[in-house]
Amino acid sequence: MESRHIGVWINRPADEVYRYAADPRHLPRWAAGLAHGEVTPAGDEWVAESPMGPVAIRFAPANEFGVLDHVVTLGGAEPVLNPLRVLPAGPDRCEVVFTLRRRGMSDAEYEADAEAVAADLATLKRLLESD
């Protein structure tokens, strides 16, 4: 399996970035590739409309290490683990890194997926740095 790490530097404290990104209700503001409209709780998961249809999202438990891994399930498809980390780099700066794994897609689809992830991370940066 091929993987690619896609990251963005954010000029905000890592714990602030983590708290914002860990709140599923914020996903429609910055993660257009994952959620549109309202994200609602459903047991230990969250449900949302995505560009691919309805999705269920389950996040890693809250932690002090910046781990924002999440499992996404589309319809009846196999759940997909998406590693996501907030990495501190000083008191007012951090890097957010998403690991994109290639799963049965063409080169063009993989590139489009990487571009969508990069755009979502750029949106997260813009939102958090504009406060």
Side-chain angles (χ1 to χ4, degrees), residues 26-36 49-52 116 119-121 123:
H26 293 157
L27 287 171
R29 294 184 193 147
W30 69 272
L34 182 58
H36 294 287
E49 273 302 315
S50 82
M52 306 152 288
D120 287 350
L121 294 178
T123 299

Side-chain angles (χ1 to χ4, degrees), residues 10-76:
I10 300 178
N11 294 317
R12 298 296 280 201
D15 61 336
E16 237 179 72
V17 173
Y18 175 84
R19 277 193 309 274
Y20 185 87
D23 185 339
R25 293 167 295 197
H26 293 157
L27 287 171
R29 294 184 193 147
W30 69 272
L34 182 58
H36 294 287
E38 189 175 355
V39 179
T40 56
D44 65 345
E45 295 181 325
W46 292 79
V47 294
E49 273 302 315
S50 82
M52 306 152 288
V55 295
I57 310 157
R58 185 171 32 92
F59 286 87
N63 62 84
E64 62 185 279
F65 304 109
V67 176
L68 290 168
D69 292 1
H70 51 286
V71 175
V72 175
T73 306
L74 294 164

Side-chain angles (χ1 to χ4, degrees), residues 73-96:
T73 306
L74 294 164
E78 182 178 326
V80 174
L81 172 65
N82 296 292
L84 179 62
R85 303 288 191 279
V86 177
L87 307 168
D92 295 317
R93 192 166 194 232
C94 65
E95 184 178 19
V96 178

